[in-house]
């Protein structure tokens, strides 16, 4: 439909020119610095915020790595003296907390903030200031969690913080208090960032870019943001319950008061299992972008991969019970959990086979120059043992250079044979051959 502009009637008063403010004040002032530290600290640009998310993630990756090294040094020899029992529990808890909440999650945010607006043709995210608020809220939460090291000891109940081990009776220090409040602060950052990116994808795509024209990475990031929107409130409620139990004597997990400690496990894993896909799906998105570029082919089954990612997200909310098999769940719940978990595995396999269509060899030849097999055969000669071992190996693999040496033969009628051979085989060779014949 054409739009025809009609001239204004003669003598009509001219419209006033729109007011163009030349300056804003206070918190509403848009950052203008382009160089120096102010251009980073006060920025609302999604690319700079993405880089800072990545820098923070790598810093805490180093912190988590140091904690892991200390744990391994303590376990390197019996009766280790590197860490005391109490500090070991704290290190064990904080290593996992750091890697999950302070490294992998912000690293995913780094890629999402930097690349998603570029991929969908948006000038920035929908709410740039909220984006900056999310970054600095994450930083404050991360600092708060780690302040406990200098305030009498860190959290020591494991990153899963099962009740009643996390109650004041079993952990009287303030470490878990810092842990609960710090994760609530970082949760605010995750929740605001998730809402921001969802609005960005829905409202700020370039003209002509429908949802099914978006790159796979953008799709996986959007699925992750929906997971965060639904999962973060659950862990927030659980952290509030734990905090009130420790600080104000609430009895949410106290068996003597008629409560059930399994309440914490349910709340934690309703968040914790979708958290697995919050961590993994961005990686699937990155792989789905990189492989088609370097194989110079479009991704096979584009919509199928999208549906698989979305279905993984939905099913991820229904299988938290497989972290609780030892707690006495009912049989129907156990059966459903097993079936749903296998369905998720099948959906992941769908993505892997779409990569196979690109010509990526998921089943490569494995070449082990020296593979040692020790077997025992009663009452057999070395020659008979050699023939039997060779026969069994040939049935197991496609080609064998041969049995090279019989190491020892005992006088008691037993042969202990150490066989050295080179293994050259293709795992699932038949599947690969069929798929190669189907290749266009």
């Amino acid at each position: 439909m054409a739009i025809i502009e009609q001239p204004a009637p003669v003598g009509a008063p001219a419209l006033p020119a729109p007011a163009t403010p030349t300056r804003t004040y206070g918190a509403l002032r848009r950052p203008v610095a382009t160089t120096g530290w102010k251009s980073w600290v006060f920025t609302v640009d999604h690319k700079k915020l993405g880089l800072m998310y990545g820098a923070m993630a790598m810093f805490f990756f180093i912190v988590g790595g140091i904690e892991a090294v200390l744990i391994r040094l303590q376990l390197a020899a019996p009766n280790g003296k590197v860490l005391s029992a109490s500090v070991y529990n704290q290190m064990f808890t904080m290593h996992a907390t750091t890697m999950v909440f302070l490294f992998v999650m912000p690293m995913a945010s780094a890629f999402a903030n930097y690349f998603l607006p570029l991929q969908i043709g948006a000038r920035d995210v929908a709410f740039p200031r909220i984006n900056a608020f999310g970054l600095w809220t994450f930083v404050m939460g991360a600092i708060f969690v780690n302040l406990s090291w200098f305030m009498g000891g860190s959290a020591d109940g494991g990153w899963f913080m099962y009740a009643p081990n996390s109650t004041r009776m079993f952990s009287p220090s303030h470490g878990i208090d810092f842990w609960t409040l710090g994760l609530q602060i970082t949760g605010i950052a995750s929740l605001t960032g998730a809402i921001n990116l969802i609005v960005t994808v829905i409202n700020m795509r370039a003209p002509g870019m429908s949802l099914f024209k978006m790159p796979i990475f953008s799709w996986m990031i959007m699925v992750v943001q929906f997971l965060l929107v639904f999962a973060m409130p659950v862990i927030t409620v659980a952290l509030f319950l734990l905090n009130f139990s420790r600080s104000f004597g609430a009895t949410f997990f106290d068996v003597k008061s008629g409560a059930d400690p399994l309440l914490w496990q349910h709340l934690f894993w309703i968040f914790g299992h979708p958290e697995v896909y919050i961590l993994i799906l961005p990686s699937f998105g990155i792989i789905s972008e990189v492989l088609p570029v370097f194989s110079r082919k479009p991704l096979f089954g584009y919509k199928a991969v999208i549906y698989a990612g979305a279905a993984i997200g939905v099913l991820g909310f229904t299988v938290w019970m497989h972290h609780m098999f030892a707690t006495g769940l009912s049989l129907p719940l156990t059966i459903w959990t097993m079936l749903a978990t296998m369905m998720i595995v099948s959906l992941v396999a769908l993505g892997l086979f779409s990569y196979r269509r690109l010509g990526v060899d998921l089943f490569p030849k494995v070449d082990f120059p020296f593979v040692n097999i020790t077997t025992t055969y009663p009452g057999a000669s070395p020659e008979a043992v050699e023939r039997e071992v060779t026969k069994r190996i040939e049935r197991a693999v496609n080609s064998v250079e041969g049995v090279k040496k019989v190491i020892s033969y005992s006088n008691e009628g037993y042969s202990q044979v150490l066989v050295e051979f080179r293994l050259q085989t293709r795992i699932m060779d038949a599947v690969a051959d069929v798929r190669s014949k189907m290749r266009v």
Side-chain angles (χ1 to χ4, degrees), residues 228-245:
L228 283 169
V229 165
F230 289 103
M232 291 309 300
V234 181
I235 191 62
T236 301
V237 169
L239 291 171
F240 267 112
L241 296 182
L242 180 56
N243 201 8
F244 271 69
S245 297

Side-chain angles (χ1 to χ4, degrees), residues 16 29 40 69 210 215 244 325 350 392:
R29 181 165 49 198
W40 291 92
V69 168
S210 64
F244 271 69
F325 277 146
L350 189 150
R392 293 194 178 198

Side-chain angles (χ1 to χ4, degrees), residues 96 100-101 157-163 179 227 230-239 253 261-279 313-327 329 337:
V100 172
F101 293 102
W159 84 283
F160 36 79
M161 213 60 68
Y162 281 171
W179 186 86
L227 292 178
F230 289 103
M232 291 309 300
V234 181
I235 191 62
T236 301
V237 169
L239 291 171
F253 312 114
L262 289 183
L263 172 62
W264 168 267
Q265 290 193 35
H266 281 291
L267 291 175
F268 181 83
W269 289 117
I270 289 173
F271 155 80
H273 195 75
E275 171 75 3
V276 172
Y277 306 113
I278 290 169
L279 305 181
V314 173
L315 286 173
F317 276 99
T318 69
V319 295
W320 79 87
M321 294 83 72
H322 71 203
H323 297 272
M324 302 171 60
F325 277 146
T327 61
L329 296 173
T337 302

Side-chain angles (χ1 to χ4, degrees), residues 30-31 39 42-47 49 124-125 128-129 131-132:
R30 189 174 183 86
S39 67
F42 299 107
T43 187
V44 294
D45 177 65
H46 71 97
K47 294 186 291 295
L49 291 171
D124 206 318
V125 294
R129 287 181 175 84
N131 202 18

Side-chain angles (χ1 to χ4, degrees), residues 380-387 406 408-409 415 417:
S381 65
E383 294 77 11
V385 171
E386 182 177 342
R387 286 196 301 271
V406 175
S408 64
Y409 175 68
S415 296
V417 181

